[in-house]
Amino acid sequence: MRQAGRALPSYRALRERYDFIELTSQAELIVEVTMLPFEVAPLDAAILFADLMTPLPAIGVSYRIVEGVGPVIADPIRALQQVDELSAKNVHDELPQLWEAIKLITKELPADVPLLGFAGAPFTLASYLIEGKPDRTFTATRASMSDGRFWDSIMSRLTELSASYLQAQIDAGVEAVQVFDSWAGALTVDEYESHVFPYTKRLIDELSGSVPVIHFGATTRHLLEPIARLGADVISIYHDIPIDEAWAVVGPVPVQGNLDPEAMRADPATMSDAALDVLRRAGGRDGHIFNLGHGLLPDTPVDNVKRLVDLVHEEGSS
Ligand code: CP3
């Protein structure tokens, strides 16, 4: 449950004392925030507390998280020269607090609860760098696809960055990684196939044989067929398609999903019905990881999270 932290009163209390980037700058704080969701429910996995943007300062791009907006960078990158000027620093040397936190978290978690790491897919990172802020239409990003040298240069640089960032997480002890191509769903199939797929595939290929790789994209029902060809070990299914229909498209690969996060804000009976519908459609087949289709919404009642985890555990064991 991505960005689950925002729904927890204990997370919001910590945010009164620290800003977001401070929270990701100290190992003890990263450990504390990563473990917060376990105060609410006995979850089956933990997600490292960091952000898609966390590795960017290592290549010389600083960012802020603006409340209600998301990540904002000072100087959008729109010219080849700016890509050439990105720092060649090694991400492994730049984020020692994260590797230390991963070691501490894996010691603290029960042996049967894995820690998941994550990174941005090249396109989703590129969209933040090129637009400078979250943007639903991605006008500048899509326009820059037609400048072949610029596009290949920025996408290749971000593919390398995410590969080395994920490898460093794996070396420190994460047991699976999720690649977030959150905004790929805004693209047409042609745009995705020619300008995005090759880079995400390169990233996933570089990690193959290490730990399981989970691919995530939002509003991707039209892209499921190429996404299935990326070679990820698990495919996250957004809630824009029933999970059984999506599974039929992606073929015999484990899937994760796909409860609508909006259902988590409904009354308990409505929430349970929606969760049971996902379980019914998954049909008890091997390879279904119950999850939401996207992150928890900020004002989700914590009691519903607890209820959901209990319900899925009960249904899963019956
Ligand atoms: O639940 C967790 O804490 C897991 C850690 C996590 C965060 N971001 C922490 C975070 C993860 C896995 C992410 C991934 C992430 N970050 C994605 C991919 C997932 C998705 O939603 O598709 C994206 C697109 C981002 C970029 C980003 N960072 C956004 C859109 C926002 C939210 C901005 C807002 O105010 O709504 C952030 C900030 C962020 N990252 C928060 C957290 C807990 C909230 C910031 C805060 O505390 O003010």
Side-chain angles (χ1 to χ4, degrees), residues 182-260:
S182 298
W183 312 135
L187 303 175
T188 65
V189 176
D190 284 352
E191 283 171 327
Y192 184 79
E193 290 266 18
S194 14
H195 298 290
V196 174
F197 177 92
Y199 301 94
T200 313
K201 175 134 182 47
R202 193 190 301 168
L203 172 62
I204 291 176
D205 284 348
E206 284 197 25
L207 298 166
S208 82
S210 52
V211 298
V213 178
I214 308 165
H215 179 275
F216 173 85
T219 64
T220 39
R221 81 177 283 163
H222 62 299
L223 299 179
L224 286 173
E225 191 273 320
I227 284 172
R229 281 189 274 113
L230 288 168
D233 300 293
V234 180
I235 299 176
S236 287
I237 308 296
Y238 192 76
H239 46 280
D240 57 348
I241 179 169
I243 197 159
D244 47 339
E245 288 178 29
W247 216 344
V249 177
V250 298
V253 60
V255 297
Q256 166 174 286
N258 78 339
L259 180 66
D260 185 344

Side-chain angles (χ1 to χ4, degrees), residues 1-6 11 15 20 47-52 65-68 70-71 118 128 180 182-183 216 294:
M1 297 192 192
R2 298 158 287 275
Q3 292 165 37
R6 288 181 298 168
Y11 175 75
R15 284 282 281 103
F20 181 81
I47 286 211
L48 179 66
F49 181 72
D51 193 74
L52 295 194
I65 300 280
V66 178
E67 183 144 12
F118 68 95
Y128 282 114
F180 284 101
S182 298
W183 312 135
F216 173 85
H294 203 183

Side-chain angles (χ1 to χ4, degrees), residues 45-242:
I47 286 211
L48 179 66
F49 181 72
D51 193 74
L52 295 194
M53 309 298 279
T54 302
L56 289 175
I59 57 166
V61 177
S62 58
Y63 69 98
R64 292 177 300 133
I65 300 280
V66 178
E67 183 144 12
V69 177
V72 174
I73 66 160
D75 295 311
I77 297 188
R78 300 193 178 169
L80 188 57
Q81 197 194 338
Q82 288 172 287
V83 182
D84 292 342
E85 284 167 6
L86 291 173
S87 155
K89 279 191 218 148
N90 183 339
V91 71
H92 183 269
D93 300 334
E94 300 300 308
L95 297 164
Q97 76 280 12
L98 211 55
W99 326 133
E100 191 192 336
I102 291 170
K103 293 191 177 110
L104 295 170
I105 296 162
T106 46
K107 269 195 211 133
E108 203 169 312
L109 285 170
D112 60 345
V113 177
L115 175 65
L116 272 59
F118 68 95
F123 169 73
T124 290
L125 290 178
S127 76
Y128 282 114
L129 294 194
I130 295 169
E131 304 294 338
K133 57 180 180 357
D135 180 290
R136 298 219 166 258
T137 55
F138 305 101
T139 315
T141 311
R142 297 168 99 153
S144 59
M145 287 175 174
S146 56
D147 179 349
R149 278 184 65 209
F150 170 77
W151 187 254
D152 182 58
S153 173
I154 192 166
M155 290 291 279
S156 297
R157 188 74 189 80
L158 293 170
T159 304
E160 279 162 32
L161 177 69
S162 284
S164 52
Y165 180 48
L166 287 172
Q167 192 56 54
Q169 294 178 40
I170 294 165
D171 292 343
V174 304
E175 291 159 279
V177 293
Q178 182 147 332
V179 171
F180 284 101
D181 211 354
S182 298
W183 312 135
L187 303 175
T188 65
V189 176
D190 284 352
E191 283 171 327
Y192 184 79
E193 290 266 18
S194 14
H195 298 290
V196 174
F197 177 92
Y199 301 94
T200 313
K201 175 134 182 47
R202 193 190 301 168
L203 172 62
I204 291 176
D205 284 348
E206 284 197 25
L207 298 166
S208 82
S210 52
V211 298
V213 178
I214 308 165
H215 179 275
F216 173 85
T219 64
T220 39
R221 81 177 283 163
H222 62 299
L223 299 179
L224 286 173
E225 191 273 320
I227 284 172
R229 281 189 274 113
L230 288 168
D233 300 293
V234 180
I235 299 176
S236 287
I237 308 296
Y238 192 76
H239 46 280
D240 57 348
I241 179 169

Side-chain angles (χ1 to χ4, degrees), residues 278-289:
V278 173
L279 288 169
R280 186 182 58 75
R281 288 176 182 277
R285 270 172 287 173
D286 279 348
H288 175 223
I289 300 167

